[in-house]
């Protein structure tokens, strides 16, 4: 059988019918296999020592009729495994979005690229520390790093096994994985000391971890499966964002695009097929619903949409799953503040106005606005947003806008000339661009400029595991991106102060809001 | 410091003074190291996952002033280790001759190629089986292969540690090893199943095991040290002979040479810089002193030289170390038979003649010649050689001569036109070519044609670990050699029968003996 050895994949399956050994051809078993692989294309084929010890037996058992799976890395090919040619087994790969709060696994058929199944779960490291800094601190304690690594890997393995069982797939038939996460998560996943990530001059152990075999990472897939770990540009610009750039396709477009991942860090990329600039800055946790008293991550009963009647000041809410309200997520908070402002209940500085009426209460000297009464609440307590919550959101949105302005100024492109504004990340996909524009978090572009890409970390990981071209581009992206170090200097502070108004001190920047 | 990255070695040390990290250059630690290595030459540098986990700490501890050692394989470079630039430590390598009875380790300074020390010891697998077939059989039993592997590796480790201690060298500073052994020994060393080596069609698990990391083989040297395992051409033509060809340098010469390794197997190579042909055939253990009642391997008190006065028939012997005689080795036996023949005590067919006189006794109906009286013997028993012992040697020498004739006939070159006849192996170096010619074991060439090379397996291993060119040539030799399968057909049997005379039925082939 002639094997087609195309250029599209970097993980391949080859069907091979070897001539069995004879007195006329006494080539060793392993060399026999390599020669046949050579015929299909790859010149340099690496066989691990472990394979040396088992290949001969497997070949003989399969009567020299086998499927070989291989992957390409650094100009050579590496054998992953061989399987007897006697079953309908299909080979699969996994793409992983390794978030600090949420991890998503996608199981994909490598042969037809179909998604077989997906699973989402909380990062178990949350038990040790909900935020990255706590985890870095924990890693410095005795056994801390290994604890963080192992609870994560164990949970991932548990979920892989569940997923594989659910779809009737043998673990050994999962023969590759791509992992996109931020720099700290990547370090913890690999068991690399994150100590210097948060200490000047913020140096990762490694920028490009490259490909590591599954067994070295203790992952429950085929032991020799390549695990492609996305590279980072620095401590604050991780593989998740490289995956995002890959998924957004901005590096193939002529027009200049923004790519923004909104979260505790505002991660921003600007560029096109010729150049890329990225920066990341602390936006504060407000945007993720992590600060407000009633703030929480998206989930059942969480308010994700708000509308206020400007005449009656009546607050209408929508919750996820239409359950009784229990809290508010970041996108809900953005909606709420936009609506409060448009209804005249917040002033330009984001302070509650008297128009709020009886809904506004003072608790311990701090103004709280009742959003949901105790009667309507899923917690039997009233849900309120304090002036402090609002102030936090204003700071976050101002930080985001300032970062966008700074990077646009650096490349000398006015914000309103950007044609496409990609929003990366699951969280970002919940944000209503109109509300975000209203509060002055993002530039006042035509709404159609805003394109939500969903989980770009996962999408990028899936692209990289499936495509040779995408795998190459990851490194092209990493190497070509210019990282803009945000200097919190006077100019930055001036921009930040100006952006702390709703929508902005210079209201001409937001003509749609002015109307 | 500018690193000279010459082409001579495939294991290199680079002195590197890295710029420490700064806010202006936040390159990751590992990537920083790789970039500096790239500057010295190698484009593709592989860093193992284990190194990923420790490099950052080592770099910081050494204040980014390090020596890196790397090896080249399959067009890329692999990091072995980094050391702080603060000591006079030198890096070392080991060459190993992995014999089935004797193992030799040579410790070499990689920087100036000086031999530091050497150690020779019995292969501990002898306890399980003195011959290869017994070991192959033992390996098929439960746990047998692992037992054979581990007693060998443990013994090698013990000897490495002793050697390193003796010369004050840290184990981690031994950063490479080359191993030349026959095909079965190589399999047992690697823990590869030798089952099919002695069963038609005699297929090795692998011909070219390539480079394996020391830790995978459980060797007590630097864990990431490359272990270059010599390839084989087949079950009966192993890495020891490839090492021999390398050491003999015949592949660089215009004139055609023979290379012969005399032992239980007669391994023969003929060729020059343009072509190589090899074959191996059973010669029987007689040549190694493995059959005669008083036969033994070379050692103190073993007879290695014999002279007989043709007039008085007095037998004069020399023993190793001049100790009282305890037995006879292969080279002594060849000498003895040659001298017996020249003294008229053996006839053309190798049968004892009456001229032996009173020294000839009959024990259980078999003629025995007393070589040493019980009075002079180191064992207090007389040392005798029986007709059966002589017959065994005649068969072995006839097999050797037949193999030489067959291979010379195949390439159509008369034996007497061969200009150089290299004798490989420690055993071969003890053989007196004149005696070997007298009994018709080797062709009647001018004595200066015979060049003993000593332990070519060890020499070849040392060349391969030290030189990039030699490492390449191993594979060139392996791939270019034509293996001649000895068919024991009528023609072979006719040649063999003719060679069973002393020196030969066709005495014109041995003019020097006729004289």
């Amino acid at each position: 059988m002639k094997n087609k050895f195309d250029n599209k994949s970097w993980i391949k399956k080859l069907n091979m019918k070897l001539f069995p050994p004879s007195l006329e051809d006494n080539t060793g078993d392993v060399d026999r296999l390599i020669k046949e692989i050579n015929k299909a294309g790859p010149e340099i084929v690496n066989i691990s020592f472990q394979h040396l010890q088992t290949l001969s037996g497997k070949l003989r058992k399969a009567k020299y009729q086998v499927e070989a799976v291989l992957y390409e890395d650094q100009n050579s090919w590496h054998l992953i495994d061989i399987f007897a040619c006697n079953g309908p087994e299909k080979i699969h790969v996994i793409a992983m979005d390794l978030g600090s709060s949420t991890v998503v696994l996608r199981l994909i058929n490598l042969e037809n690229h179909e998604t077989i199944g997906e699973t989402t779960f909380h990062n178990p490291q949350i038990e040790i520390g909900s935020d990255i800094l706590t985890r870095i601190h924990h890693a410095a304690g005795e056994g801390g790093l290994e604890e963080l690594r192992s609870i994560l890997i164990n949970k991932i393995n548990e979920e892989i096994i569940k997923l594989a069982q659910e779809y009737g797939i043998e673990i050994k038939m999962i023969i590759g994985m791509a992992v996109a996460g931020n720099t700290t998560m990547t370090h913890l996943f690999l068991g690399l000391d994150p100590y210097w990530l948060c200490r000047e001059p913020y140096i990762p152990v490694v920028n490009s971890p490259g490909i590591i075999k599954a067994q070295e990472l203790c992952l429950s897939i085929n032991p020799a499966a390549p695990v492609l770990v996305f590279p980072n540009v620095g401590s604050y610009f991780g593989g998740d964002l490289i995956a995002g750039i890959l998924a957004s396709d901005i590096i193939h477009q002529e027009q200049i695009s923004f790519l923004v991942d909104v979260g505790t860090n505002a991660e921003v990329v600007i560029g096109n097929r010729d150049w890329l600039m990225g920066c990341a800055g602390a936006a504060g946790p407000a945007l993720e619903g992590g600060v407000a008293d009633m703030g929480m991550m998206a989930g059942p009963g969480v308010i994700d949409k708000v509308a206020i009647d400007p005449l009656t000041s009546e607050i209408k809410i929508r919750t996820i799953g239409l359950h009784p309200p229990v809290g508010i997520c970041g996108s809900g908070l953005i909606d709420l503040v936009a609506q409060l402002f448009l209804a005249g209940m917040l002033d330009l500085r984001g302070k509650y106005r008297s128009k709020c009426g009886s809904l506004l209460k003072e608790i311990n000297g701090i103004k709280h606005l009742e959003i949901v009464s105790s009667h309507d609440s899923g917690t039997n307590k009233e849900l309120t947003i304090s002036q402090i919550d609002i102030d936090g959101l204003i700071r976050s949105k101002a930080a985001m806008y300032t970062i966008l302005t700074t990077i646009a100024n650096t490349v000398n492109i006015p914000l309103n000339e950007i044609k496409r504004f990609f929003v990366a990340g699951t969280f970002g996909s919940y944000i209503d661009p109109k509300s975000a524009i209203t509060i002055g978090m993002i530039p006042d572009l035509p709404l159609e400029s805003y394109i939500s890409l969903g989980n770009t970390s996962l999408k990028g990981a899936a692209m990289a595991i499936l495509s040779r071209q995408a795998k190459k581009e990851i490194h092209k992206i990493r190497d070509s991106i210019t990282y803009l170090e945000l200097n919190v200097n006077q100019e930055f502070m001036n921009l930040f102060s100006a952006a702390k108004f709703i929508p902005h001190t210079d209201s001409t920047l937001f003509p749609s809001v002015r109307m």
Side-chain angles (χ1 to χ4, degrees), chain A:
Chain A
M1 186 184 297
K2 181 88 188 84
N3 285 296
K4 274 171 280 169
F5 207 76
D6 65 59
N7 267 331
K8 288 181 187 159
S9 311
W10 62 277
I11 307 181
K12 307 256 189 203
K13 187 173 87 169
L14 299 175
N15 284 295
M16 293 195 296
K17 297 193 190 304
L18 310 184
F19 285 103
S22 65
L23 279 174
E24 288 67 44
D25 176 8
N26 73 337
T27 305
D29 281 330
V30 172
D31 311 79
R32 187 173 297 269
L33 178 70
I34 292 176
K35 276 189 188 173
E36 195 67 24
I37 296 172
N38 291 151
K39 281 187 209 161
E43 274 176 50
I44 300 181
V45 179
N46 283 297
I47 306 277
S48 73
F49 178 57
Q50 286 183 334
H51 280 320
L52 268 194
Q53 296 187 307
T54 56
L55 269 184
S56 182
K58 285 186 184 178
L59 278 171
R60 285 170 183 272
K61 205 171 160 196
K63 300 198 164 56
Y64 294 91
Q65 314 288 296
V66 292
E67 290 177 348
V69 279
L70 298 111
Y71 72 91
E72 188 189 22
D73 190 38
Q74 309 253 51
N75 294 349
S76 31
W77 288 82
H78 306 258
L79 184 74
I80 303 169
D81 210 345
I82 61 170
F83 305 109
C85 287
N86 57 2
E89 295 97 346
K90 296 209 168 55
I91 52 173
H92 295 83
V93 289
I94 284 178
M96 175 159 81
D97 163 29
L98 179 61
S100 43
S101 19
T102 306
V103 180
V104 188
L105 299 176
R106 178 181 288 176
L107 181 64
I108 307 166
N109 178 319
L110 184 67
E111 296 175 67
N112 59 17
H113 293 198
E114 265 174 30
T115 294
I116 302 295
E118 217 171 277
T119 181
T120 303
F121 51 94
H122 285 298
N123 185 325
Q125 295 172 337
I126 292 170
E127 291 166 29
I128 293 170
S130 64
D131 65 297
I132 285 294
L133 277 176
T134 313
R135 293 182 208 171
I136 293 179
H137 182 71
H138 187 85
E142 204 185 317
L145 175 58
E146 176 51 23
E147 186 188 359
L148 283 158
R149 191 197 66 82
S150 62
I151 60 166
L152 175 63
I153 297 289
N154 291 346
K155 178 66 179 169
I156 292 169
N157 283 341
E158 202 180 281
E159 296 288 338
I160 290 173
I161 291 165
K162 261 199 275 179
L163 201 56
Q165 278 175 344
E166 189 175 346
Y167 296 100
I169 289 158
E170 268 188 282
I171 286 298
K172 71 168 182 184
M173 303 305 284
I174 303 175
I175 50 98
M177 190 162 172
V179 180
N182 68 43
T183 306
T184 303
M185 278 315 304
T186 301
H187 274 57
L188 297 177
F189 175 72
L190 298 175
L192 304 180
D193 188 356
Y195 187 86
W196 294 102
L197 289 180
C198 62
R199 286 168 175 87
E200 211 181 297
Y202 315 107
I203 306 297
V205 167
V206 62
N207 294 130
S208 299
I211 284 174
I212 300 164
K213 288 198 176 157
Q215 66 184 350
E216 296 197 274
L217 298 172
C218 308
L219 287 169
S220 292
I221 58 177
N222 190 303
V227 180
L228 168 64
V229 182
F230 271 70
N232 62 67
V233 179
S235 290
Y236 296 109
F237 198 100
D240 48 351
L241 216 55
I242 304 267
I245 296 169
L246 184 69
S248 73
D249 201 44
I250 59 178
I251 61 163
H252 293 131
Q253 297 175 15
E254 190 179 354
Q255 61 187 356
I256 293 162
S257 308
F258 252 128
L259 171 70
V260 174
D261 194 340
V262 188
T264 305
N265 281 321
E267 291 155 341
V268 176
V269 175
I270 188 168
N272 67 358
R273 63 184 182 195
D274 299 318
W275 56 273
L276 281 177
M277 176 172 277
C279 78
L287 295 179
E288 282 191 304
V291 157
D293 280 348
M294 59 179 276
M296 41 177 38
M297 287 193 286
V302 170
I303 299 166
D304 70 338
K305 192 96 196 124
V306 179
I308 300 179
D309 187 319
L311 296 175
T312 64
S313 300
E314 191 196 349
I315 301 174
K316 291 179 195 158
I317 58 156
R318 189 185 69 187
T319 65
I320 297 173
L322 305 179
H323 291 272
V326 293
I328 193 165
C329 64
S331 58
L333 196 60
I334 291 167
D335 249 23
L336 175 68
V337 172
Q339 289 293 308
L340 287 171
F341 175 73
L342 292 176
M345 294 161 78
L346 283 179
D347 67 15
L348 286 169
R349 295 169 307 130
K351 301 297 177 189
Y352 282 126
R353 293 177 66 189
S354 57
K355 201 188 170 195
C356 294
S358 64
L359 292 176
L360 199 62
K361 295 160 193 183
E362 207 155 298
I363 305 172
N364 297 328
I366 293 157
K367 287 182 181 152
H368 282 69
L369 185 73
E370 182 188 296
I371 308 298
V372 178
S373 69
S374 58
H375 180 260
D376 293 333
S377 149
T379 63
N380 295 323
K381 288 180 196 161
E382 59 186 12
L383 302 182
T384 65
I385 292 290
S386 72
Q387 185 62 56
I388 292 174
D389 297 337
I390 303 283
D391 293 350
L393 182 71
I394 298 289
R395 277 196 304 276
S396 292
K397 79 95 187 171
M400 171 61 88
Y401 191 77
T402 306
I403 292 167
L404 292 172
T405 307
T406 304
I407 196 166
N409 288 350
T410 303
V411 296
N412 208 20
I413 293 168
L415 279 180
N416 60 9
E417 284 185 14
I418 305 291
K419 291 291 176 248
R420 277 169 180 269
F421 197 109
F422 292 105
V423 181
T426 310
F427 166 65
S429 66
Y430 292 115
I431 296 175
D432 180 346
K434 201 164 164 31
S435 295
I437 292 171
T438 301
I439 67 168
M441 178 176 144
I442 52 177
D444 193 3
L445 303 177
L447 288 181
E448 60 271 22
S449 313
Y450 288 94
I451 299 161
S452 166
L453 298 174
N455 190 340
T456 47
S457 187
L458 185 65
K459 277 184 194 164
M463 288 168 72
I465 195 74
L466 295 173
S467 150
R468 189 164 181 264
Q469 180 68 15
K471 175 174 173 264
K472 272 193 178 176
E473 282 178 351
I474 292 171
H475 294 281
K476 203 179 127 193
I477 292 168
R478 203 218 81 86
D479 295 341
S480 66
I481 202 162
T482 305
Y483 184 71
L484 175 66
E485 192 70 48
L486 283 177
N487 292 311
V488 184
N489 52 21
Q490 194 55 48
E491 191 192 338
F492 185 91
M493 289 313 296
N494 290 346
L495 286 169
F496 181 65
S497 298
K500 274 167 74 183
F501 284 70
I502 303 178
H504 197 273
T505 44
D506 179 1
S507 64
T508 62
L509 294 172
F510 288 86
S512 80
V513 183
R514 204 159 45 160
M515 294 193 301

